[in-house]
Amino acid sequence: MKRAVAVLLAFMMLFLVQIPSAKAEVYPRDIFITPSIGVPAIGVPGGNITLELQKGVQINALTIISVLHGPYSLQILGQEGNLLRVKISENVVPGDYFLQVKSNKGDITIPNGVWVLKEYPKVLRIAQVSDTHVTSGSKIGYVCKEYFQRSPIKLAELCQPVVPLHSVVAADSAYTYWAMQKGVDVIINTGDDVDTSGDLTGYKIIYNIMSEAAAAGKPLINIKGNHDDPPTVYSKLIGPRYFYEVIGDFLIIGLDSRGDEGHPEMAQIAWMEKVLEEHKGKIPIVLVHHPVFYFGPNGQWLGGIISGLDPVTDWDQLKGYLSKYWMGEPDIAKRFMEDVVKYNIKLVLAGHIHHDKYHLYIDKNGSKHWFITLTATGAPDKETNPHTNPRYSPTWYGSNLILVYNNGTVVDPYAPKIKDMMSAPIPQEFIVFRYHGKDGTAVKFINELNNSVRGPITLVIPEGAKIDPSVTNITYTVLGEREIDGKYYLLLNATIPVGITQVVVSKEKDTQKPEVKIAYTFPSKPMRGKAFKVYFKASDNIGIKSMYVEVEANGKISRYIGEPTKGDPTNTYYVAQIPGVDANTYTIKVVVTDFYGNKAVAEKVIGKTTTTSTSTSSTQTQTTSTSTTTTTTSTTQTQTQTTSTSTSTISTLSETTSSTTSTTSSKTCGPAAFIGLTLLPLLFLMRRRR
């Protein structure tokens, strides 16, 4: 008997053990230290570039490709240790390229892998973003023109319309805007790419955002922040802890200020000094997440001009201007400032504090050094505008444009004087909502700037989908289309006018209505006059253009915006915040409209009511003390469809962590069914033994 039980249990375990997939996913870090999506190899047609390989990697073939150009094969010249020398063909058209790799560790494609310049620039034009804090969860602030609040209800009292700005949407909007700007050479992110360092889905989201900017032709450079620490996932997808890039006359050094430490370790400073020694004559630009300077003259914390102080002879006075992060290790801070003077580091870009700061440091020799700290591009946890606490200085979502000349001059067009908000209002006033469905791709633009935005934009589309002019109201020219690494990229030269506009790419005209269902309210029984939330599920085959919740009470209708509960692009769960209803009985309607105007409505009645349910066979009346009525009404451009009305109570829909929506069946199948069958004889034997 014991032997039979043991055999059955062993047999069952074979089905309980998860069998790994035959092919493991290959990450850029598995093959290269550099290049990566955040640290491209940079060269010119006919020039050479160097790739740094991981130990034991053998490269079989290298190809570069973009939406418009290539593929071009790269010639392997030779290898010294883990450094691979490669030649760019003279016939390569300048641009930003995906690097396609065949190696003994697997095949992989790296967006922004190789940046080919026609010639090295005399002026390096940098678009800085920072603290994008992309998350697969929920991280949302609310904007309306220059206003920003953490509560949509409070903002609605100040300004309309209120726009929910998830960190994913904010990051994508900034990358999209700067990729469209002809007057920008490179987009630099100064850290905190994601909100949680272990969020692999979050990193894949920012990776895709960066890929679309690269496909639009804009090169990218990234450093890590404290939210990217430890850099286990960051290094797999984005880039190394620290690095340097040479762009003609310019030397860019990316440092890692680590996690809670808030500054590089001494060994990293020594490495930086070695790089500076090897590249004398270049214009040094240092990227570091935690800001070096914090206070300005007279304690002004927004910045200012600090002049004539030497880090050797005047350290006791100079250190009073430095941030607490760097002053955690005064010896490191002092040595870094000595290097700023010794090697004439012209520009230091930082983030972290979610606020703009601008410091101009003039050393004892009269040389100027700019320290520019940027507010958060994606995180909503910053000081509100108007501020809720008068002791704190307001800020907003932002990014920046900085020009560095090869004579060492730095120009920040958005900081002519020290003030709260010195950066550009991007994405604050230029917002891009992307939607991907099985039958198409749609993008909604909200442009509240004073001018149209023109330039290249890339859309990832289903194979065979085309732009539908009947529901597209931006001006565009199709530049090209290409499949790269399993994705279909459509490259447009677009003009986004002021206002709310859209572009729709679909396989055919859409007459399919969205799907919407109210999941639950929280609390489940809202109290009169007390705030509550309405959770609902909505989806569409192309994309949802608008969603809101209407509350009808006392003959009055109020409308509240819907917002996503997850940053994952496959999200179908949404929530609306209701300030409270001064009534015992009222109706909630969730209204969802797609980009073709097809509409769906889900309805729920809160409070005591009498409901009539009608069927084809009979009519009956039911009365309940506390009941909920749900009606779903769907309309399209061509027809109106109404479902029957019945008395029901909506149960709570639990949100799954899967990136796809699944339907649970009552059937038992697969290994679970087999295990159930194997249990039957076991139970029979045990019963007989008893």
Side-chain angles (χ1 to χ4, degrees), residues 427-647:
Q428 181 85 25
E429 297 178 13
F430 182 82
I431 307 173
V432 180
F433 294 90
R434 296 179 190 257
Y435 302 89
H436 302 285
K438 62 183 180 63
D439 295 328
T441 294
V443 184
K444 179 174 73 175
F445 303 93
I446 300 178
N447 180 9
E448 295 182 341
L449 302 170
N450 295 324
N451 54 276
S452 297
V453 177
R454 299 179 178 87
I457 181 173
T458 303
L459 309 180
V460 177
I461 64 173
E463 183 180 7
K466 301 296 180 184
I467 293 180
D468 188 342
S470 69
V471 286
T472 296
N473 56 1
I474 66 168
T475 304
Y476 66 90
T477 302
V478 176
L479 299 178
E481 180 181 344
R482 173 169 273 175
E483 184 271 330
I484 303 177
D485 196 30
K487 289 184 179 180
Y488 289 85
Y489 293 94
L490 177 65
L491 180 60
L492 308 177
N493 187 33
T495 299
I496 314 302
V498 175
I500 300 176
T501 54
Q502 66 185 44
V503 56
V504 179
V505 187
S506 59
K507 295 180 180 179
E508 59 184 5
K509 289 191 179 298
D510 180 27
T511 58
Q512 183 176 336
K513 62 184 181 295
E515 295 182 359
V516 60
K517 182 178 181 180
I518 297 176
Y520 59 96
T521 61
F522 183 82
S524 58
K525 296 180 180 180
M527 297 180 64
R528 181 168 181 161
K530 299 293 185 180
F532 65 97
K533 295 181 180 180
V534 178
Y535 288 86
F536 59 96
K537 185 178 181 182
S539 61
D540 188 73
N541 60 317
I542 293 179
I544 296 172
K545 181 179 180 180
S546 68
M547 65 180 73
Y548 56 86
V549 172
E550 282 186 350
V551 177
E552 184 176 354
N554 303 322
K556 180 182 177 182
I557 296 177
S558 302
R559 182 177 293 183
Y560 307 94
I561 57 171
E563 59 195 65
T565 59
K566 295 195 300 181
D568 191 329
T570 62
N571 173 66
T572 57
Y573 292 92
Y574 301 88
V575 63
Q577 301 185 46
I578 314 300
V581 182
D582 189 19
N584 292 325
T585 302
Y586 49 92
T587 302
I588 298 172
K589 290 183 180 180
V590 178
V591 183
V592 177
T593 307
D594 69 14
F595 283 84
Y596 277 83
N598 304 316
K599 181 183 292 185
V601 180
E603 182 177 305
K604 181 174 184 176
V605 177
I606 302 295
K608 296 180 180 180
T609 185
T610 300
T611 305
T612 300
S613 178
T614 305
S615 66
T616 57
S617 58
S618 63
T619 302
Q620 59 181 357
T621 302
Q622 292 181 329
T623 303
T624 59
S625 58
T626 303
S627 63
T628 305
T629 303
T630 302
T631 303
T632 302
T633 304
S634 302
T635 62
T636 68
Q637 291 177 327
T638 58
Q639 60 181 354
T640 301
Q641 183 177 357
T642 306
T643 64
S644 61
T645 303
S646 61
T647 303

Side-chain angles (χ1 to χ4, degrees), residues 35-46:
S36 65
I37 192 172
V39 186
I42 303 173
V44 294

Side-chain angles (χ1 to χ4, degrees), residues 132-190:
T132 47
H133 285 272
V134 165
T135 174
S136 58
S138 179
K139 201 171 185 71
I140 297 178
Y142 305 90
V143 300
C144 180
K145 298 179 181 176
E146 74 273 18
Y147 297 111
F148 162 78
Q149 293 288 319
R150 297 189 188 92
S151 165
I153 298 170
K154 184 168 185 177
L155 183 57
E157 298 171 355
L158 301 170
C159 181
Q160 291 284 351
V162 174
V163 180
L165 197 51
H166 193 284
S167 63
V168 171
V169 175
D172 185 28
S173 300
Y175 273 96
T176 299
Y177 176 85
W178 293 114
M180 295 180 73
Q181 301 305 304
K182 185 177 180 181
V184 168
D185 296 311
V186 61
I187 300 173
I188 292 180
N189 189 331
T190 46

Side-chain angles (χ1 to χ4, degrees), residues 354-365:
H354 298 192
H355 209 296
D356 293 329
K357 281 183 183 290
Y358 180 91
H359 289 84
L360 174 59
Y361 168 56
I362 304 175
D363 65 30
K364 64 177 182 179
N365 303 316

